[in-house]
Amino acid sequence: MQALRRSRAASEGDSMRLRLILLVLSSIVAGVVVAGLALPVLGTVGLEARHEADQFDALPSVLAEPPLPQSSIVTDANGKILATFAGDENRTLVTIDQVPLVMQQAIIAVEDSRFYEHHGIDFRGTVRALVNNGSGGARQGGSTLTQQYVKNVLEHSADPEVRKEATDDTLARKLREARYALALERRYTKAQILEKYLNIANFGNGEYGVGTAAQFYFGKKVGQLTLPDAAMLAGIVNAPSAYDPLHHPEAARDRRRTVLNAMLKQGYISQAQFDSAVSSPLPNASHINRALDACQTSEAPLFCDYIRSEIELDPKLGATKQDRDNALFTGGLRIKTSLDMTTQNAMQTALNTKLPPNQRIVAMSAAVKPGTGEVLGLAADRPYGDKSKANPLLSKVNYPIHSF
């Protein structure tokens, strides 16, 4: 019995020593961040921390925040969207006032529950994560939303070395993030930081920012998001590929439950709201109609193609075609055109009715407003798209533009 007690005591002592070591290591980082104090060090980790402490004050505190890549939108004369041109990151910025409270609460609950209490770095959360990870629990992160925003900004840097360093698993990276996070919290309000994070975050499937994600997954404007919608989106950002609801629905459902549990425990929702949301269906891909060519899914594909061609030739948007393509796919342009959908639909219907697309001769039509030269519509009796064996009638030739 005494041997058993000694064995238990030794085991508990080892566990306590491990926790103390982890706590001291966390304190080293915390001390460096708060005051640059030299605390007792442990082995090579301690030496690294001491070295980083010496360098901490030399780190830049002003984070360069370049404009985020944004999709460009083309509309008709009445403001209806004809096409969205997106690069690698499909993003439309939203303001925090447009984001429903339930979405804000969901992301805070699961990613940074003490967001409104800390000043950029959550020491309590860092210690908890270190102790938990060191004791074999489910791995936790100690980064705040502010630190995560910093990491995302650095990953968008034009400097490849900065992008690489942003993903390095080193103490130097953590200190750099901490330095920037502290400065950001002095520069911006919590609402501004949350807005920035929600606009830069990766929601999977090439969708960046909560506004674009809401439209992609649910076919909704961000302000229309419900509790189960918000919980699912908040769960994705931790691992966009793993929690993708379209390809890994079970993982996405489990992750949504985790978010809802966090919201319940933190008092954001009631048990009844939890029970209702946790059983809600996940979104499906039925409303998603994405093509590599944005004009292919437009209601007026030939007019869309015409506008794109005009942009690619406009020197005001850049000296080179690459510059103009960058402006179109990442510059967040809002292009209101002269297209009149009533005219456009009437033209297309007439062509499709009188001259079916299986004829050898191509029929086409262009409507131009007298006196102004504004193009009101472009139509042809050939469906727009890449020709294939399955559909040899498809064509991307803009017959009205090349013929008139």
Side-chain angles (χ1 to χ4, degrees):
M1 181 64 71
Q2 290 180 347
L4 180 59
R5 288 175 180 170
R6 284 196 298 270
S7 175
R8 286 178 177 173
S11 177
E12 291 173 357
D14 289 340
S15 177
M16 182 59 70
R17 278 193 292 273
L18 174 60
R19 291 172 182 269
L20 286 173
I21 289 171
L22 292 168
L23 182 59
V24 170
L25 291 178
S26 179
S27 297
I28 292 171
V29 177
V32 167
V33 170
V34 173
L37 299 177
L39 298 181
V41 294
L42 299 174
T44 57
V45 175
L47 291 175
E48 183 179 356
R50 186 188 294 276
H51 172 72
E52 297 302 336
D54 293 337
Q55 301 298 318
F56 187 78
D57 286 337
L59 290 174
S61 61
V62 179
L63 178 67
E65 301 174 82
L68 292 174
Q70 289 190 69
S71 306
S72 292
I73 294 174
V74 179
T75 69
D76 69 6
N78 294 318
K80 182 179 181 180
I81 295 178
L82 298 177
T84 299
F85 292 98
D88 293 335
E89 298 184 10
N90 186 24
R91 176 186 287 107
T92 300
L93 298 182
V94 296
T95 65
I96 196 64
D97 293 337
Q98 294 174 287
V99 181
L101 183 60
V102 69
M103 183 68 231
Q104 300 178 40
Q105 293 170 337
I107 201 75
I108 289 171
V110 74
E111 290 293 323
D112 186 0
S113 62
R114 287 167 42 79
F115 176 67
Y116 291 109
E117 300 172 40
H118 63 67
H119 298 288
I121 305 167
D122 184 6
F123 299 128
R124 186 186 301 176
T126 301
V127 171
R128 182 179 63 250
L130 284 168
V131 172
N132 177 82
N133 297 345
S135 60
R139 190 161 186 82
Q140 299 178 1
S143 294
T144 64
L145 285 177
T146 315
Q147 288 172 284
Q148 291 180 46
Y149 169 69
V150 169
K151 184 174 184 291
N152 274 281
V153 170
L154 295 175
E155 288 177 345
H156 280 82
S157 172
D159 186 336
E161 187 61 30
V162 173
R163 294 198 301 271
K164 177 183 178 300
E165 291 174 353
T167 59
D168 288 343
D169 189 15
T170 63
L171 181 59
R173 190 205 94 198
K174 288 293 186 182
L175 287 173
R176 186 166 54 249
E177 287 179 5
R179 176 75 164 172
Y180 283 132
L182 288 171
L184 284 175
E185 292 267 351
R186 291 193 295 269
R187 182 179 178 186
Y188 299 120
T189 66
K190 288 289 186 180
Q192 289 173 317
I193 291 171
L194 186 57
E195 176 181 297
K196 288 174 175 291
Y197 175 82
L198 288 170
N199 276 313
I200 202 172
N202 179 4
F203 287 89
N205 288 293
E207 306 303 309
Y208 287 75
V210 69
T212 316
Q215 185 64 45
F216 177 78
Y217 288 109
F218 304 106
K220 299 177 179 179
K221 293 182 178 180
V222 67
Q224 299 172 315
L225 290 173
T226 63
L227 172 59
D229 299 341
M232 192 208 79
L233 291 180
I236 291 176
V237 297
N238 181 264
S241 296
Y243 299 130
D244 176 0
L246 304 182
H247 299 94
H248 304 290
E250 289 305 316
R253 188 174 288 106
D254 290 344
R255 179 63 177 171
R256 183 180 66 179
R257 176 185 284 272
T258 297
V259 177
L260 290 168
N261 264 319
M263 296 180 75
L264 178 63
K265 290 179 180 178
Q266 294 169 40
Y268 289 125
I269 60 174
S270 66
Q271 185 65 53
Q273 288 175 304
F274 173 90
D275 294 338
S276 175
V278 80
S279 60
S280 297
L282 291 175
N284 56 51
S286 62
H287 70 280
I288 296 171
N289 189 19
R290 174 185 285 173
L292 293 178
D293 183 346
C295 291
Q296 194 163 328
T297 56
S298 173
E299 290 187 56
L302 294 180
F303 190 90
C304 172
D305 179 79
Y306 160 64
I307 293 298
R308 177 173 54 193
S309 298
E310 289 294 300
I311 291 172
E312 290 176 343
L313 295 173
D314 191 342
K316 292 191 292 293
L317 296 175
T320 67
K321 184 179 183 301
Q322 182 63 54
D323 291 337
R324 297 188 286 270
D325 282 346
N326 287 338
L328 178 61
F329 291 100
T330 68
L333 303 178
R334 296 297 180 264
I335 307 161
K336 185 175 181 179
T337 71
S338 56
L339 179 71
D340 179 76
M341 284 304 301
T342 301
T343 302
Q344 173 68 37
N345 290 334
M347 292 165 56
Q348 193 65 58
T349 299
L351 288 175
N352 293 345
T353 302
K354 302 298 182 182
L355 294 166
N358 57 355
Q359 304 296 312
R360 292 180 59 189
I361 298 175
V362 177
M364 68 205 75
S365 178
V368 179
K369 188 174 182 179
T372 66
E374 294 175 329
V375 180
L376 303 181
L378 297 171
D381 68 340
R382 292 289 189 272
Y384 185 89
D386 292 309
K387 184 182 295 186
S388 65
K389 290 183 179 179
N391 197 340
L393 295 176
L394 289 172
S395 174
K396 283 193 173 180
V397 177
N398 201 324
Y399 291 103
I401 296 300
H402 295 301
S403 301
F404 289 117

